[in-house]
Amino acid sequence: MSVPPVVSWILTARCNMQCPHCYVSAGPAAPGELCARERREAARKLAAAGVTTAFISGGEVLLLDDLDSLAALLRENGVAVSVCTNGTGLDEERAARLRASGVSGLSISLDSALPAEHDRFRGVPGAHRAALRAVSAARNAGIRVNVDVTPTQAAGRSISALVWLCEQAGADHLTVKRFRPTGRGADHSADLQLPQPEYRKILDTVLARVGRTSILLDVQDPAFHLYARIRGADLSALNRCAADGCMAARDWFGLQPDGTVTPCPLLTITLGHILRHNLPDLFLHSEAVAQIRDRRRRRGRCGRCVHADVCGGCRSHAWASSGDLLGEDPGCPVPQELCQ
């Protein structure tokens, strides 16, 4: 295995919001961000290395003037493009331009079914209304719409209400993301991290709704499919995202705003630079990549787990919590007694 087929490309840290859970610590642009010309060079290198899908995010990428041309370049070179946004800059005209540039998927962040809760968490009045407007605009433009939510102590715990809202808004997909204490989230972890019993209730709610809603449900957590299997869920009804556990350096990798290549967008370990190094070499010769891919080298609870072959534990959560790339995943929702 050389370069993973999917890149999560954080184009910029520039954003019109400063959400407390943001793993990019978005706000102002980051030092050394690639310019438009360098981003185009990076896009060509990604395609040449065999990348087939790019999730383009920020920050808020709709603030960039070259987003459309960059998406078109990726698409022309055989890379499917999805864009992640908070929705505040997306109207019917902007959505149509994205579609014309080749964008096939749009992920829109929605932290709550309740407008006041979402706006308070985002710190921007009207953000909830703007997100729903963006869902409608994208749908009308023919772009598949995914809604992202990261449940925390502050927002996003009512998954049933969000499923209903996504159905009413016409979204295709709802992705529940596990909170990781990275970026700005590390500074607010004590206030945001859900206790495990409450997080398991959210996973159980998702499993109870799978197959009983018009939208596709998914949880971005490497232990979710294992958790679902233990709960006796019908795995055929689940999306395949993270079905084989931690995706870092296996199924996807991160590309940071300054061109730094990382094993995962949430894992701040530098493998090299997209413009200065040969991308396949970074994955073929990196000790960090070898460690991540070999799940037999895990330590702690993940090292003792009998399910390592289908999970491996979240490497970004382990790294953020202990500084040990091979350490145990403290956010694993599977009860410890079921891992022995």
Side-chain angles (χ1 to χ4, degrees), residues 59-72:
E60 178 47 62
V61 293
L62 293 182
L63 298 174
L64 298 177
D65 294 335
D66 63 318
L67 176 61
D68 293 354
S69 61
L70 186 65

Side-chain angles (χ1 to χ4, degrees), residues 63-96:
L63 298 174
L64 298 177
D65 294 335
D66 63 318
L67 176 61
D68 293 354
S69 61
L70 186 65
L73 177 62
L74 286 164
R75 196 70 202 97
E76 288 165 6
N77 283 274
V79 181
V81 180
S82 290
V83 169
C84 307
T85 174
N86 60 39
T88 53
L90 193 73
D91 55 17
E92 299 278 342
E93 185 272 337
R94 189 71 186 85

Side-chain angles (χ1 to χ4, degrees), residues 233-272:
D234 178 8
L235 298 184
S236 66
L238 296 175
N239 188 33
R240 290 289 300 171
C241 178
D244 299 316
C246 182
M247 300 190 298
R250 296 166 61 95
D251 303 296
W252 78 343
F253 66 100
L255 182 56
Q256 305 299 321
D258 65 353
T260 298
V261 178
T262 59
C264 164
L266 289 84
L267 186 53
T268 55
I269 293 176
T270 298
L271 300 181

Side-chain angles (χ1 to χ4, degrees), residues 75-239:
R75 196 70 202 97
E76 288 165 6
N77 283 274
V79 181
V81 180
S82 290
V83 169
C84 307
T85 174
N86 60 39
T88 53
L90 193 73
D91 55 17
E92 299 278 342
E93 185 272 337
R94 189 71 186 85
R97 283 166 47 201
L98 285 175
R99 186 70 187 96
S101 71
V103 172
S104 57
L106 202 72
S107 289
I108 299 169
S109 299
L110 197 59
D111 298 303
S112 175
L114 302 174
E117 185 173 82
H118 176 88
D119 291 0
R120 182 172 61 250
F121 189 71
R122 294 264 154 180
V124 176
H128 190 272
R129 181 175 62 253
L132 291 180
R133 180 190 64 192
V135 171
S136 176
R139 183 193 63 207
N140 292 339
I143 301 175
R144 285 188 59 81
V145 180
N146 173 63
V147 170
D148 285 335
V149 59
T150 303
T152 66
Q153 293 186 55
R157 288 175 288 180
S158 181
I159 298 302
S160 292
L162 272 168
V163 169
W164 177 86
L165 184 61
C166 288
E167 290 172 338
Q168 299 304 305
D172 300 288
H173 190 173
L174 173 65
T175 298
V176 177
K177 295 185 172 182
R178 186 213 290 189
F179 169 78
R180 273 84 161 187
T182 59
R184 192 176 295 121
D187 299 329
H188 299 276
S189 180
D191 298 322
L192 297 179
Q193 184 82 54
L194 288 172
Q196 281 294 352
E198 190 164 355
Y199 181 52
R200 290 187 190 114
K201 288 180 181 178
I202 287 173
L203 300 187
D204 290 339
T205 299
V206 172
L207 291 175
R209 296 303 302 268
V210 169
R212 298 177 175 86
T213 174
S214 60
I215 62 174
L216 183 64
L217 297 177
D218 182 25
V219 178
Q220 195 180 88
D221 184 322
F224 176 60
H225 279 255
L226 171 60
Y227 183 87
R229 189 175 69 184
I230 289 172
R231 289 293 201 208
D234 178 8
L235 298 184
S236 66
L238 296 175
N239 188 33

